[in-house]
Amino acid sequence: MPASATQPLAVLFACGLNSVRSPIAAGLFSQLFGRAVYVGSAGVRKGELDPFAVAAMAEIGVDISRHKPITFEELDELEGLNFDLIVTLSPEAHHRALELTRTSAVDGEYWPTVDPTDTEGSREQKLEAYRAVRDQLLNRIRGRFAGRRPGNE
């Protein structure tokens, strides 16, 4: 779907564990667009929220420390998967989202995003990998949803 297409009213960001990439993306999206668009995040499996993800987001004033990782199935049970767009950030999440697009009126987009958890080295080197993911997602979100403004128009 081109960026100029109709903007969604509800966006789900999804990755493998819902512990790094999708919570970062959802936090960034919320910071940019407030409550103008509903945003959620989920994973194929449930991991633990990554402290490096929390730290990288805190650096730019976004608090994701209260995020509770959740699976697609848990999200569906809690509130339903009523999203216009699912943005997947990992191959396994993309495959899961493709299953949903066959049975629901939802669009899917795949934004391949590196998993920074495999980064080795010092704390600063690891944190730099998370910052790179954060900044990549921020640029991608801005580019994809350009023109959308928070609030009532």
Side-chain angles (χ1 to χ4, degrees):
M1 177 183 353
S4 60
T6 305
Q7 295 289 6
L9 299 176
V11 177
L12 177 67
F13 290 96
C15 62
L17 296 175
N18 193 225
S19 62
V20 177
R21 293 168 286 183
S22 53
I24 287 175
L28 292 168
F29 193 93
S30 292
Q31 181 189 45
L32 291 170
F33 304 111
R35 298 185 187 277
V37 178
Y38 181 80
V39 65
S41 71
V44 176
R45 298 176 320 282
K46 184 163 54 175
E48 295 292 324
L49 182 61
D50 190 301
F52 283 103
V54 173
M57 293 298 284
E59 289 179 347
I60 62 166
V62 179
D63 181 7
I64 63 168
S65 65
R66 289 188 215 95
H67 173 75
K68 302 286 185 237
I70 189 169
T71 65
F72 279 96
E73 290 74 21
E74 291 169 330
L75 182 63
D76 192 18
E77 289 174 18
L78 285 174
E79 60 182 69
L81 293 172
N82 301 315
F83 295 90
D84 304 310
L85 175 64
I86 300 174
V87 176
T88 58
L89 308 170
S90 70
E92 60 187 332
H94 188 62
H95 292 298
R96 180 69 179 93
L98 286 176
E99 294 171 16
L100 293 173
T101 63
R102 290 189 193 106
T103 58
S104 302
V106 61
D107 290 319
E109 293 181 14
Y110 179 40
W111 298 359
T113 306
V114 172
D115 180 357
T117 62
D118 294 333
T119 304
E120 295 186 12
S122 68
R123 181 181 193 289
E124 186 58 30
Q125 289 168 319
K126 291 179 182 182
L127 196 49
E128 191 54 44
Y130 285 75
R131 289 178 187 130
V133 167
R134 176 198 68 203
D135 296 346
Q136 174 195 355
L137 288 169
L138 180 59
N139 289 332
R140 191 79 191 253
I141 290 167
R142 282 181 174 150
R144 167 59 177 87
F145 300 99
R148 176 168 286 288
R149 294 285 178 258
N152 296 329
E153 297 180 60

